[in-house]
Amino acid sequence: MAVLSDEELLKMKEIVVASEKEAEDLDLTAYLADIIGITGVHVEEGWYNQEINETHITFYYMEDKDADFCDDSNENEEYYIQVDLWSMEDVYKLKKKVKKLLKKAGFNYIVGNDQFESEKGLYHKSMRFYYLLKVEGDNE
């Protein structure tokens, strides 16, 4: 069975096409949430939410910076993002799905880590991604 269904691929393509139309004004947080949200799992910006007793996904920006300067203006912005899966059961297939979705949406996978927090009985799977956002010489 494929990691992504035809329906999930179609939804992902719709989100990507919409984001390309608003490239300069792209809300990267909303874009991330929309792409990850295709999984049907609760997603939010931030860190583990102990009030959610079901599998959920969080993400946060580790670093962002201007890049690729020309004539004293950056042409791109670089984003380093961590995505975390939190669950009381092993969610290996969900990790594969999130990784595949984000890669198809233009994110580059850097590294991942799987942990089991025995005190809480919690599976924590983390993935780090890189995203290059073109800003067409934004000098602000």
Side-chain angles (χ1 to χ4, degrees):
M1 179 192 236
V3 174
L4 299 174
S5 69
D6 290 341
E7 183 180 320
E8 290 167 328
L9 284 169
L10 182 60
K11 182 68 175 165
M12 189 266 316
K13 287 178 185 174
E14 289 172 1
I15 294 168
V16 170
V17 167
S19 75
E20 289 170 351
K21 290 179 183 174
E22 58 185 49
E24 266 192 67
D25 296 321
L26 179 66
D27 179 344
L28 191 55
T29 300
Y31 182 57
L32 266 164
D34 288 346
I35 292 293
I36 297 169
I38 292 170
T39 63
V41 175
H42 177 81
V43 59
E44 62 184 55
E45 185 178 9
W47 192 243
Y48 174 67
N49 186 338
Q50 64 188 10
E51 302 202 3
I52 299 176
N53 294 318
E54 59 192 32
T55 299
H56 63 284
I57 302 170
T58 59
F59 66 90
Y60 69 93
Y61 297 95
M62 297 169 38
E63 179 179 69
D64 64 88
K65 60 184 177 180
D66 291 342
D68 303 322
F69 289 85
C70 181
D71 295 327
D72 298 325
S73 179
N74 65 299
E75 294 180 349
N76 296 304
E77 294 174 351
E78 294 179 331
Y79 291 88
Y80 294 87
I81 300 152
Q82 180 159 320
V83 177
D84 297 279
L85 283 62
W86 309 92
S87 183
M88 299 306 248
E89 58 191 34
D90 191 358
V91 286
Y92 173 75
K93 288 182 180 180
L94 178 59
K95 180 179 178 180
K96 284 182 70 171
K97 183 174 283 198
V98 170
K99 182 178 174 182
K100 187 79 140 186
L101 282 166
L102 288 174
K103 286 175 68 175
K104 285 190 169 288
F107 292 81
N108 294 305
Y109 181 74
I110 300 171
V111 68
N113 184 21
D114 293 357
Q115 302 172 35
F116 179 72
E117 298 180 18
S118 56
E119 291 177 11
K120 297 179 183 176
L122 185 66
Y123 289 89
H124 174 202
K125 297 184 179 294
S126 62
M127 297 173 279
R128 292 186 175 178
F129 294 89
Y130 167 84
Y131 189 78
L132 184 68
L133 180 63
K134 297 192 183 307
V135 293
E136 307 272 336
D138 188 4
N139 198 20
E140 295 182 57

